[in-house]
Structures are given as structure tokens and as C-alpha cells.
Amino acid sequence: MREKRRVLFLTMLTLLLCLLPVRTEAFKAPKKSCHAYVVMDAGSGRVLFGQDENKQIYPASTTKLMTAIVCVENGDVNGKIKTKSEIVNNTTPGTYALGIPGGVTFTFKDLLNISLLSSAADATDSLAVGVFGSKEACVEAMNRKCQELNLTHTHFDNPVGSDIGAGYNDIYTTATEMAVITRYAMSVPLIRDVVRKSSYSTESGMDMEINTTNWFTRGMIAYDTDHYRVIGSKSGTTNAAGHVFIATAMDPEGHELICAFFGDESKEATFRHIRSLYDFAFKKIRKGKLQVSKSNYDIRYAGGLGNIYRCYQELDCFPTGSDGCYRPGKEINRTQLAVMLMGIDNLAESKALRSYALGNSSARVTALSMAELVQRLYPVSLSNREIKSLLKDVQGADSLNKDEKNAFAAYLKAGLAPDDFCKNPGQKIKRSQALVFADRLADYQLKYEMNYPMNYGTSKVEDGEASWYISNLNLKYQKSLAGQKAAYEAELARKEAERKAKEEAERKAKEEEERKALEEKERLEKEEAGGVTGTDSEAAPGSGAAGQPGQEAPAQATTAAPGSAQ
């Protein structure tokens, strides 16, 4: 029994020590023969390393990941789609087609699987038309999604990935932005489930057996499966794009990496290069020389909760299963809550939090225990009258002792309850509620400093913790919840300011053009009426208006369309 307790204590201590910020060791990105590549931390969206990762390139059939995203988000995934002869007999040129006939009714999932696994253009076009009515409408949705994801260097002009070799000149991307698209796609459960497969059999229409183009999942490329598993994504090949594969891999601890590789040699070489990059990256992670976040693919784009998570996604302080799921609906335990709160400024070394985690680590968290923890971290004493007012509608408040009443009333007054359910002291806290609570507590810490300045700088506060906080606030732990949130909001404000400045510049330029056009019109009218003779007095000596006899018009600067041959 003593040995079990010792093992448990050491395990918990190791867990807590791992929460302290780790400085990532600087290293040189491996040099590869390719158009470009990038390795991204899927949990945080942070680029770990790469080569020409922001260079403009062609996406080839990895385009179909974006097609899949907009079709899943706008279509009936449980419905059926009937293929049309005018679509399957006139597939977007430049890519592979299976030869699917018109008039065949497939399920939505059939076409999605065929599109993503075999990369068949006739299936992709049929899916796009079945959901949006036309390929053009699907492409519009794809580009709107790019804007939503803030992808400023990606544009699509067809749903399958054809490029300049087939006459499509307005399709382009970067390795980094295709990794972002893949990160989003791998957060969609249906797409994630499709791309992990090695083969697929259709459910209706024609009997078809489809194999994936992913050599990792087909066992055609051996790799170190003890340390990571390739769990899917998408291939693509055109003469302009090269041999492309975007792989997603996860280690046993739930760390997920995306490698977008645009090769210039062969398909086999592309897969070998990805394998070596994954071996390199996961080895760095195991040795603690590369800091990454857990996957949490089920929350990183999950509506309002996802918005909160993305503010703090670089902090590796969220509970995650080996499958990479956060599971928002699951109840959180004391250790998991403590781990999450240690991401807040100065709480990483909080004795109160460590005591809370080690005391009864697996115990489920209630709203009352959360309020008591807040009281230890940020003590507040309320008057009896205020306590009574705050607790008058709280179910079960009469059963609380004096200290519990004060703690719960202070918790309610601070607005820390994630929702109305958490205003019940006995309510067990789910992970979704814990995330909202942590976000509010990060804000509350800063408010507490202003509202209760006497609690800072005094040694009389229990554990002496409050006096320690103020001296280190926002200094020692730069990557805090509050700090990251402020940076996130500042970035949004900067982009909004840039947008407004651009609109203002365009407005002024348009007004200037209109003014000049009006002046030119008036000048011509005066000349025709015989009211103006001679030359323009504003013209520089020896200059003349473009287009006058004996003069050359100024050379017009030409810019090739993105993706066009130079």
C-alpha cells in the first residue's frame, strides 16, 4: 500500500512539474527536395518548422479537403445524391476520374468517401453539384470558408484541384494555409473518420470497392508505429503541384501533428520525406525539446467553446484522451481542473492549486468546491446582508456552513459561474463548464488586483500567496490565459484596423479618379468650345499629355494572374 501511494505521489508530482513552462530548443529545420513543406502542431495551429512554407504553390487534389468541408457543413450527410450525366461526362479536366455513370443514386457518404480516398473527380463534382446545385456555387462557398479561416494566400477556382495544366489559372495556396485547412478538416468528425480508412465499400448505387491513395494506411510505407500513427488526410498530384500529401499523425499522448509536403521528385519520395520529418519531430517531442499541445480536435472549432479554446490553444493545460478528444460533456476531476488553472498567470506555482490537485485527485469537481478554491486563491469577505442577498435563490444554500456561504456568494458575485446550472453548489462540473470558468477566472484575477489592492502586498493573507501574485503578475509566465486572450483580441483589432484603412484608401483613390475624370471632361468641353488654347501650365517642361502626336503613352505595368505560367 505504501509503495502504491509512493508511485501515485510521484506520478502526480511529475504531472504537475510538467505544467511549468518549457523553453523549446531552437533547431534547424531539415532540408528537403520539394516545392515546400510545413510541420504544424494541430492542437495549437502553431507552425513548428518548414521550408518555403509561405511560398505560393498549387494544392492539386488536396483541394478536395476544402470541398469536403463545405459540403459536410452545407449538405445532408444522411441524404442521397443522384449523379447527372452532364456532370460525370464533363468532369473538371486535369484530374483522375473513376468513370461513374449518370443516373446512379449514391449516399452522400459514398461520394464523400470516394472523393477523399480515391480522389476521383467525377465523385467530387457530383458531390459539389448535389449539395450546391453547381460547381461554381461550391467554389464560392470554398472561398468564403477561406476568408472565414483568414487564409489570405489561398484561392480556388474549381472543386477538384485542377490547375494551370488544365487551364485553371486562379487556384493557389501555401503549405502553411493547406495545413490550416487540414487542421479544420480533421476537426470535422465525419471527414476525420473517412480519411483514416484504407478502403471503402459503397452503400448504395453501384457496388464499388475503393482504396485510399494514402500509402501509410495501406501499409505501403513502413514507419515507427510505436511512437506515432498516421491517421489520415489527403494526396494530390499535378505537373505544377508535384507529388503532394498532407499527413496527420498522433502519438500515444494525444499530440497531433500535420505535415503538408509538396514534393518535386516522386510519390514514393514524398512519403519517405514525410516519414523522416515525423521521426524527427516526434523524437524532439519525446525528448522535451519541442513543446506541442494536445490535439483536442473535438473542441478547437466547436462554436463558442472553440472561440474560448483558440484564445489559449498554445497552452498544454487541457485534459485530453489518447484519441485526441477533449470530450466537453465529460465531468472534470480536481487534477484536471488544477492543470487547466495553472495556465493562468502566476498560478503554476500556487500551493493552493497543488494541494487541491494532490488532495483527492480523482474526485469530481462541484460548483461549491470550485468556489472554495477561488476563495483560497483570491480571498473576499462579504457582509451577511450581501451573502443573504446573493444566495436567496440558490438551492441548498441553507445546508452550507458560514465559510461555504461566503465562498459561494463571492463566486456568484464575481460572475464566475459558467452557466445557471453552476449556480447550484452541488452541480458537478463538466469540462466545457470548466473551460468557461478558467476563461472568466483569468479575467477576474486582473479585476481582483484592482478591486482588492489591500489583499496584495500583505503577508497576512492565508498561505502568503496573494502577496506573491502581484509581484509576478504578467512577468514570469508570459503565455498565460489572460495574456494570450489580450494578444488574440489585439490581433483581431489590428486586422480590423487594416481592413478599415484599406477601405479608406480605396475610397480616396476612387474619389481621386473621379475628380481627374471630371477635370478631363471639363477641359475637353472647354477645348471644343474654343475656350482653352496652348498647353497645360501645370505640365513639367518638355512634358505632354499621353496620346499626343509624336509621344509614347506611359508603359502599362502588367501582372500575371496567380498560378499562370511565367
Side-chain angles (χ1 to χ4, degrees):
M1 180 64 72
R2 180 178 296 176
E3 181 61 24
K4 286 184 178 179
R5 287 179 180 175
R6 179 175 175 272
V7 171
L8 178 60
F9 175 79
L10 290 175
T11 302
M12 290 299 303
L13 184 60
T14 301
L15 172 63
L16 294 172
L17 287 174
C18 288
L19 301 173
L20 295 175
V22 177
R23 183 186 294 269
T24 301
E25 180 184 281
F27 56 85
K28 201 171 185 179
K31 182 75 173 174
K32 296 292 181 182
S33 176
C34 61
H35 296 299
Y37 83 80
V38 72
V39 175
M40 175 180 285
D41 172 15
S44 68
R46 181 167 56 94
V47 170
L48 301 177
F49 56 90
Q51 178 180 315
D52 294 325
E53 62 268 27
N54 296 315
K55 182 178 79 173
Q56 184 171 294
I57 50 178
Y58 300 101
S61 285
T62 61
T63 296
K64 296 182 177 77
L65 285 171
M66 180 58 91
T67 311
I69 289 169
V70 297
C71 286
V72 169
E73 292 185 341
N74 293 277
D76 178 7
V77 298
N78 295 312
K80 293 187 176 182
I81 294 174
K82 188 175 183 179
T83 60
K84 298 179 179 181
S85 298
E86 62 268 27
I87 299 301
V88 295
N89 294 334
N90 296 282
T91 357
T92 306
T95 57
Y96 163 75
L98 272 176
I100 297 172
V104 179
T105 301
F106 288 98
T107 65
F108 178 102
K109 293 176 182 176
D110 280 340
L111 292 176
L112 184 69
N113 275 269
I114 296 170
S115 172
L116 292 179
L117 294 179
S118 74
S119 205
D122 41 4
T124 307
D125 282 342
S126 295
L127 182 64
V129 173
V131 173
F132 291 97
S134 70
K135 290 187 282 187
E136 292 75 15
C138 179
V139 170
E140 288 178 4
M142 294 163 69
N143 288 322
R144 283 196 302 271
K145 196 68 182 181
C146 286
Q147 293 176 347
E148 180 185 319
L149 296 175
N150 197 32
L151 305 178
T152 57
H153 297 90
T154 297
H155 187 269
F156 299 106
D157 61 2
N158 68 89
V160 301
S162 293
D163 52 42
I164 56 172
Y168 290 89
N169 300 322
D170 203 17
I171 182 170
Y172 52 90
T173 189
T174 67
T176 296
E177 294 199 350
M178 278 311 304
V180 173
I181 291 172
T182 304
R183 180 177 183 249
Y184 187 95
M186 294 300 286
S187 73
V188 179
L190 179 56
I191 296 176
R192 191 179 182 95
D193 180 65
V194 168
V195 298
R196 69 174 177 80
K197 300 171 185 173
S198 59
S199 62
Y200 176 78
S201 298
T202 53
E203 298 174 345
S204 62
M206 300 172 59
D207 289 332
M208 302 175 71
E209 181 75 20
I210 304 299
N211 291 320
T212 183
T213 56
N214 182 346
W215 285 15
F216 287 115
T217 54
R218 287 180 66 180
M220 298 171 68
I221 291 285
Y223 66 98
D224 186 6
T225 55
D226 290 336
H227 292 116
Y228 64 91
R229 294 267 180 178
V230 177
I231 57 174
S233 290
K234 186 72 186 74
S235 67
T237 304
T238 68
N239 289 334
H243 297 276
V244 185
F245 191 73
I246 306 178
T248 305
M250 183 182 289
D251 69 10
E253 284 70 46
H255 300 118
E256 184 176 318
L257 302 184
I258 294 168
C259 179
F261 195 92
F262 295 76
D264 60 3
E265 297 176 299
S266 66
K267 188 171 184 176
E268 181 184 3
T270 288
F271 281 93
R272 282 192 289 102
H273 286 313
I274 292 173
R275 176 181 62 191
S276 70
L277 290 170
Y278 272 148
D279 288 345
F280 175 83
F282 281 111
K283 185 176 181 180
K284 292 281 186 186
I285 293 170
R286 290 195 305 275
K287 291 188 172 183
K289 296 179 179 179
L290 186 59
Q291 189 178 9
V292 295
S293 303
K294 300 293 176 58
S295 169
N296 291 325
Y297 72 86
D298 58 338
I299 192 177
R300 57 196 186 209
Y301 288 105
L305 205 60
N307 292 336
I308 296 175
Y309 176 79
R310 287 196 299 279
C311 291
Y312 318 128
Q313 58 194 4
E314 288 192 25
L315 293 174
D316 192 17
C317 63
F318 302 101
T320 307
S322 59
D323 59 354
C325 286
Y326 179 77
R327 304 196 185 285
K330 187 175 181 179
E331 291 177 0
I332 197 165
N333 63 38
R334 290 165 67 107
T335 298
Q336 291 166 346
L337 179 63
V339 169
M340 190 180 295
L341 298 185
M342 284 178 183
I344 299 176
D345 275 324
N346 307 301
L347 295 188
E349 294 184 2
S350 166
K351 290 180 287 184
L353 268 185
R354 289 175 181 271
S355 174
Y356 182 82
L358 293 170
N360 190 357
S361 59
S362 61
R364 296 303 178 209
V365 177
T366 64
L368 176 60
S369 69
M370 208 156 59
E372 290 178 310
L373 177 60
V374 173
Q375 181 66 7
R376 288 202 64 193
L377 295 172
Y378 311 110
V380 173
S381 293
L382 302 178
S383 67
N384 290 333
R385 179 180 296 180
E386 195 170 12
I387 291 172
K388 185 175 181 180
S389 174
L390 288 164
L391 299 183
K392 65 179 181 179
D393 296 323
V394 174
Q395 184 180 358
D398 292 340
S399 63
L400 304 180
N401 62 38
K402 182 179 179 181
D403 289 339
E404 290 172 340
K405 287 180 179 179
N406 181 76
F408 205 75
Y411 156 85
L412 294 177
K413 182 181 179 181
L416 296 175
D419 53 38
D420 288 341
F421 294 106
C422 297
K423 294 178 181 179
N424 178 347
Q427 173 69 32
K428 291 184 178 179
I429 305 300
K430 295 181 172 60
R431 292 180 178 182
S432 58
Q433 295 166 327
L435 180 55
V436 176
F437 169 73
D439 179 47
R440 294 184 178 183
L441 189 64
D443 294 334
Y444 177 68
Q445 183 193 52
L446 302 179
K447 294 176 184 177
Y448 183 84
E449 174 196 352
M450 294 182 290
N451 294 334
Y452 301 95
M454 294 304 294
N455 283 351
Y456 286 103
T458 172
S459 60
K460 295 182 180 180
V461 177
E462 185 178 358
D463 292 337
E465 290 189 296
S467 61
W468 185 86
Y469 292 153
I470 187 62
S471 63
N472 293 278
L473 190 62
N474 290 320
L475 294 178
K476 188 171 182 180
Y477 296 98
Q478 298 294 324
K479 286 188 175 179
S480 65
L481 293 179
Q484 284 209 20
K485 184 176 182 181
Y488 177 77
E489 291 174 345
E491 179 66 7
L492 291 180
R494 181 187 66 78
K495 289 175 181 176
E496 178 65 13
E498 287 180 351
R499 184 187 67 78
K500 289 182 178 179
K502 182 180 179 182
E503 288 179 351
E504 179 64 14
E506 290 174 347
R507 182 187 66 78
K508 289 182 177 179
K510 185 177 180 181
E511 288 178 353
E512 181 65 11
E513 288 178 0
E514 291 174 349
R515 184 187 66 78
K516 289 182 177 179
L518 182 60
E519 288 179 353
E520 180 66 9
K521 180 181 178 183
E522 290 175 350
R523 187 184 67 80
L524 292 174
E525 289 175 350
K526 288 179 180 180
E527 285 181 348
E528 289 176 357
V532 175
T533 60
T535 60
D536 185 355
S537 61
E538 296 294 327
S543 68
Q548 290 181 337
Q551 291 185 333
E552 293 183 359
Q556 296 291 321
T558 59
T559 302
S564 63
Q566 297 292 314

